[in-house]
Amino acid sequence: MKLIVRWLLLAAALLLVAHLYSGVSVAGFGAALIAAGVLGLLNTLVRPLLVLLTLPVTLLTLGLFLFVINALMFWSAASLLDGFAVTGFAAALIGSVIYSLCGVVIDLAVERLFQRE
């Protein structure tokens, strides 16, 4: 149940990103659900490999290169889907930062919500 609530809230966060920043567009809630799922899969399967491969660059930039990796995941998800679009790398970077901040808030809220049960 926790996973489904988190997924729905992350889809809503993706709609919020599209509303706040014009470089990101989402066709509707259904497209946001699919995009949130694809983003979750990419972050689970591909991101750890990219982090490992770019570890020297990440250490050299004191971790700032992780923002680039997040933007690449965001941009990759947009290129795979029809209802989710990002205008360029800068838009992917800004959108991924906003989406990540929303994700942190959602994770804290979901943990508190399901902690009481």
Side-chain angles (χ1 to χ4, degrees):
M1 186 66 162
K2 187 191 311 191
L3 182 67
I4 293 171
V5 170
R6 187 174 183 275
W7 179 40
L8 291 171
L9 290 174
L10 284 173
L14 202 54
L15 287 172
L16 178 68
V17 170
H19 181 72
L20 292 176
Y21 185 63
S22 63
V24 177
S25 63
V26 181
F29 191 69
L33 279 172
I34 294 170
V38 169
L39 274 169
L41 284 174
L42 284 174
N43 283 330
T44 301
L45 301 174
V46 179
R47 187 175 186 274
L49 182 63
L50 280 177
V51 169
L52 185 64
L53 290 174
T54 61
L55 189 61
V57 177
T58 303
L59 291 174
L60 195 64
T61 61
L62 302 175
L64 292 177
F65 194 73
L66 292 174
F67 287 113
V68 173
I69 293 173
N70 284 341
L72 287 173
M73 294 295 99
F74 204 74
W75 202 8
S76 298
S79 67
L80 291 172
L81 301 170
D82 287 333
F84 176 44
V86 176
T87 57
F89 183 76
L93 184 64
I94 294 168
S96 69
V97 168
I98 297 170
Y99 185 69
S100 295
L101 291 173
C102 291
V104 168
V105 172
I106 288 169
D107 285 342
L108 290 172
V110 167
E111 286 301 318
R112 281 195 158 191
L113 179 70
F114 285 98
Q115 182 181 26
R116 293 181 181 158
E117 293 181 7

